[in-house]
Amino acid sequence: MNIADIYKAAPGSRFLAVCSQKAQEEMVDTLCSAMPDEFREKTLLNTGPIVSMDVAADDHPNRFSDLLGLCGKLVISAGRRSHFEGLLLLNVSGLTASADRMRLKALGEVLALKDGLASKCVTLIYGPEKEREILQCADDLDFDGRLKVISFERSAEPELNELLEKHRLRCGSVRARKRIQSVLQEMAEHDGFSAGKFIRICGNDEGVITAETVSAILDDPYSYVNRIRKAAKLRGDSSARKIGFQSDR
């Protein structure tokens, strides 16, 4: 099942995505980019098409404040509808410890309630990585036997033309195009880098990528690209390397 196919799922559907932590940002980015217009239109009376939340454990063994927070968020997100009808993204990596199994069961029960707060939306849960964690998480969350487990595989890096078309952007000059291609080539070796996110950051309000906008991002020491580079350097990743695009200034 393609990750974007969840937009075709029936209201109340629940999925557990098998996805490595390194690919989680790419998965969310892919989902947001692939949202069809009809799904977006369906949620116009909600406060937005997507609700996202990290669900973690509590410092008190008999309390689950994040579940209460999720319920409140779904009520607010319903907007002028009785229920939220969009996409609910839940990161439960903070609940993979064996001590939190009851919290996972409680979350699964709330999500499965007939006519409950999540009964009109599509829910995608992610977080567990190891096989044991995935099996345990699926077992605990599957309150009524309707939870589906799907896999997200990192796709090969798309061509620049495909990225530009997908995000409705264009390069304003040959120089800008070459600079973008150089950065994409370099950053493809870094885990956690999203080409789509980088492309969107580079576009201006008119949807044009210029050499100047790319230069500003590369010169900013804490831009999206440079944060990933710095993190790789701190980890001592052997994949972190420099290329010659700096000479094109």
Side-chain angles (χ1 to χ4, degrees):
M1 178 181 183
N2 188 295
I3 193 72
D5 288 341
I6 69 170
Y7 288 114
K8 303 175 184 176
S13 297
R14 284 155 279 134
F15 299 90
L16 175 64
V18 178
C19 176
S20 69
Q21 186 176 6
K22 295 177 180 179
Q24 286 176 6
E25 183 176 354
E26 181 182 338
M27 179 183 70
V28 173
D29 187 67
T30 298
L31 271 172
C32 293
S33 301
M35 182 181 294
D37 291 338
E38 55 268 26
F39 189 90
R40 194 181 305 274
E41 291 170 2
K42 185 179 70 172
T43 64
L44 287 177
L45 294 180
N46 295 141
T47 59
I50 296 178
V51 168
S52 179
M53 183 173 176
D54 292 346
V55 184
D58 206 304
D59 55 3
H60 192 286
N62 296 318
R63 189 172 59 195
F64 193 3
S65 57
D66 271 9
L67 183 59
L68 179 63
L70 173 61
C71 292
K73 182 172 284 194
L74 286 172
V75 170
I76 294 172
S77 300
R80 287 180 284 170
R81 293 280 193 187
S82 61
H83 291 76
F84 174 65
E85 299 181 6
L87 175 64
L88 175 61
L89 299 175
L90 297 178
N91 183 352
V92 298
S93 57
L95 291 178
T96 54
S98 58
D100 295 313
R101 295 193 65 177
M102 292 306 297
R103 290 188 174 91
L104 279 172
K105 290 178 182 290
L107 176 62
E109 182 175 358
V110 168
L111 295 175
L113 286 175
K114 184 179 180 181
D115 298 324
L117 294 174
S119 61
K120 300 297 183 181
C121 66
V122 176
T123 302
L124 180 72
I125 307 166
Y126 62 96
E129 294 185 83
K130 300 176 182 178
E131 184 76 10
R132 183 185 297 273
E133 293 175 346
I134 293 166
L135 292 172
Q136 175 181 300
C137 195
D139 186 50
D140 292 338
L141 286 168
D142 197 7
F143 180 76
D144 57 359
R146 296 179 59 196
L147 178 77
K148 296 180 180 179
V149 180
I150 59 176
S151 293
F152 174 76
E153 299 294 337
R154 301 187 72 174
S155 58
E157 206 58 49
E159 295 290 335
L160 179 55
N161 287 340
E162 181 184 341
L163 281 169
L164 292 172
E165 182 179 356
K166 181 179 180 180
H167 297 286
R168 300 176 183 178
L169 297 167
R170 63 182 177 87
C171 289
S173 67
V174 174
R175 187 183 177 201
R177 186 179 184 87
K178 287 182 177 179
R179 188 163 290 184
I180 286 287
Q181 287 176 323
S182 295
V183 177
L184 291 177
Q185 182 181 359
E186 174 203 0
M187 298 306 295
E189 299 185 8
H190 292 268
D191 289 325
F193 174 73
S194 168
K197 184 173 183 178
F198 174 66
I199 284 287
R200 291 198 304 273
I201 293 170
C202 291
N204 60 23
D205 293 339
E206 288 74 40
V208 179
I209 299 174
T210 67
E212 289 72 24
T213 58
V214 180
S215 292
I217 291 170
L218 298 178
D219 290 340
D220 181 356
Y222 292 102
S223 66
Y224 174 66
V225 168
N226 286 327
R227 291 197 305 271
I228 293 178
R229 287 173 175 161
K230 288 176 184 290
K233 188 175 181 180
L234 289 172
R235 291 194 304 266
D237 289 1
S238 58
S239 63
R241 59 184 177 86
K242 295 182 179 180
I243 60 174
F245 64 85
Q246 297 279 2
S247 62
D248 190 34
R249 294 189 177 182

